[in-house]
Amino acid sequence: MTLSIQNLSVVIVSFYSEDVIHDCIKSIPNEIKIIVVDNSGDKLFKENIEKKYNNVECILSSENLGMGPGNNLGLRYVKTDYAFILNPDVILKKNTIDEIISESNKIQHFSIIAPISNKEDYPNYQLDDLKHQTKHTLNPFKVKSVDGYAMIINLKRLNELESFKNNNFFDENIFLYLENDDLCKRIIDNNENIYVVPSSKIIHLGASAVDKKYNQQVELSRNWHWIWSKFYYNKKHNGFFSALTNCLPTFISALIKYFFYLITMNSKKKKFICTGA
């Protein structure tokens, strides 16, 4: 079956995302089923969001699963052939869905198709061949990968491939970062196609998916997971030696940041205990 409103679901992984997720949900057509996987396990959040939106089902994870495993959990609840993976800090424009559906019908086959970010200086894709693409093309074009904050996965097509059967989409060894790069690389390695539709645009707030009061905890987590994800991804696809040589500078930089945020957080905790403020 082709991509359509009736054959599309949305999966959003949230983690203390209440500040931004409502704008995301409101931008999605009411006819589309939305599955929110909440990694904070907040029962009140689930109750409120399901009460407010009749097209939303909120799944509470028993622990913080991260992005890849969280998306896999959400995809298990999808009954349609296509799933739109969205970050909670993404807002669809009025014609985002209509444009991507219309353009998808002109493409013979695809495993992933994605809208384009409204920020031209920060494209959410890597071109397959820079020599054969132009920045201002109006037609859908093939890419090597897309960022994971807004992409539609052709579940039916991928489930026909051995390496993607049984909802084996995102590598669950990757908690955060590069989970979408890994998915896209495996798709390309299977000679499948990834497209971007430039007429279908989204607004990506960027670095806003988590409530700002958790910024320090996020920074601490971010640096650790970036080290691990980069090493794991390179080891998986290029071998241990390549992973070691490519990741050592990043490892040192991220480690410094990790300990800086750790020390900062501990200092603030001590101040709070001593002063009570």
Side-chain angles (χ1 to χ4, degrees):
M1 291 191 53
T2 58
L3 177 60
S4 66
I5 288 278
Q6 295 74 27
N7 203 18
L8 178 66
S9 303
V10 170
V11 175
I12 304 171
V13 175
S14 68
F15 183 70
Y16 299 114
S17 308
E18 197 160 5
D19 284 353
V20 293
I21 198 169
H22 294 286
D23 287 336
C24 177
I25 291 173
K26 288 173 185 175
S27 72
I28 301 166
N30 289 330
E31 310 96 294
I32 297 177
K33 173 71 178 289
I34 301 171
I35 297 161
V36 174
V37 176
D38 183 54
N39 273 331
S40 69
D42 187 339
K43 293 180 181 178
L44 184 60
F45 171 77
K46 171 182 169 67
E47 181 183 329
N48 290 340
I49 206 165
E50 289 184 338
K51 185 177 180 180
K52 187 168 185 176
Y53 307 103
N54 57 17
N55 61 329
V56 173
E57 179 181 4
C58 183
I59 312 300
L60 296 181
S61 61
S62 58
E63 59 180 318
N64 185 2
L65 300 174
M67 289 302 295
N71 277 318
N72 279 345
L73 176 58
L75 289 170
R76 294 188 195 111
Y77 289 82
V78 170
K79 306 300 181 186
T80 52
D81 291 333
Y82 300 88
F84 202 164
I85 304 295
L86 286 179
N87 276 17
D89 61 346
V90 167
I91 300 170
L92 306 187
K93 294 201 170 186
K94 188 175 181 179
N95 65 341
T96 300
I97 298 285
D98 290 339
E99 282 293 329
I100 208 165
I101 287 175
S102 174
E103 294 301 314
S104 72
N105 292 326
K106 302 175 185 178
I107 298 169
Q108 188 173 6
H109 64 84
F110 63 87
S111 289
I112 286 181
I113 192 166
I116 197 167
S117 171
N118 65 318
K119 299 176 182 177
E120 291 188 6
D121 293 336
Y122 298 95
N124 55 316
Y125 58 85
Q126 291 181 28
L127 288 173
D128 192 21
D129 188 345
L130 285 168
K131 293 182 294 184
H132 294 97
Q133 306 293 348
T134 60
K135 184 177 179 181
H136 301 291
T137 181
L138 297 176
N139 298 315
F141 53 87
K142 288 184 183 180
V143 297
K144 292 196 297 184
S145 69
V146 293
D147 288 335
Y149 56 76
M151 62 181 181
I152 294 176
I153 303 176
N154 187 339
L155 302 176
K156 185 176 181 182
R157 186 169 185 87
L158 287 187
N159 270 318
E160 293 171 354
L161 302 174
E162 190 62 36
S163 59
F164 292 98
K165 283 183 178 178
N166 301 317
N167 285 335
N168 183 27
F169 300 112
F170 293 95
D171 187 331
E172 301 208 354
N173 289 310
I174 302 176
F175 179 89
L176 185 66
Y177 301 117
L178 302 181
E179 73 281 349
N180 56 294
D181 294 76
D182 176 76
L183 173 63
C184 290
K185 177 161 178 44
R186 287 156 55 213
I187 285 171
I188 295 298
D189 288 347
N190 275 277
N191 298 312
E192 291 292 307
N193 296 324
I194 302 171
Y195 280 90
V196 164
V197 178
S199 60
S200 175
K201 292 185 170 63
I202 54 98
I203 299 167
H204 182 219
L205 301 179
S208 302
V210 182
D211 190 311
K212 289 182 172 56
K213 67 183 178 182
Y214 298 102
N215 274 355
Q216 282 201 315
Q217 291 93 323
V218 169
E219 284 299 327
L220 187 64
S221 175
R222 177 181 288 132
N223 281 284
W224 165 251
H225 289 298
W226 174 240
I227 298 169
W228 161 251
S229 296
K230 188 172 182 180
F231 178 82
Y232 176 83
Y233 176 87
N234 278 275
K235 180 176 178 290
K236 177 179 179 179
H237 295 291
N238 304 310
F240 178 81
F241 181 74
S242 174
L244 193 63
T245 53
N246 286 330
C247 299
L248 191 58
T250 305
F251 174 79
I252 294 170
S253 172
L255 201 62
I256 292 170
K257 290 179 182 177
Y258 176 81
F259 282 112
F260 170 78
Y261 283 110
L262 190 64
I263 292 167
T264 303
M265 284 176 64
N266 285 337
S267 296
K268 287 193 173 183
K269 283 180 183 177
K270 288 178 180 177
K271 181 181 177 183
F272 179 83
I273 293 169
C274 292
T275 63

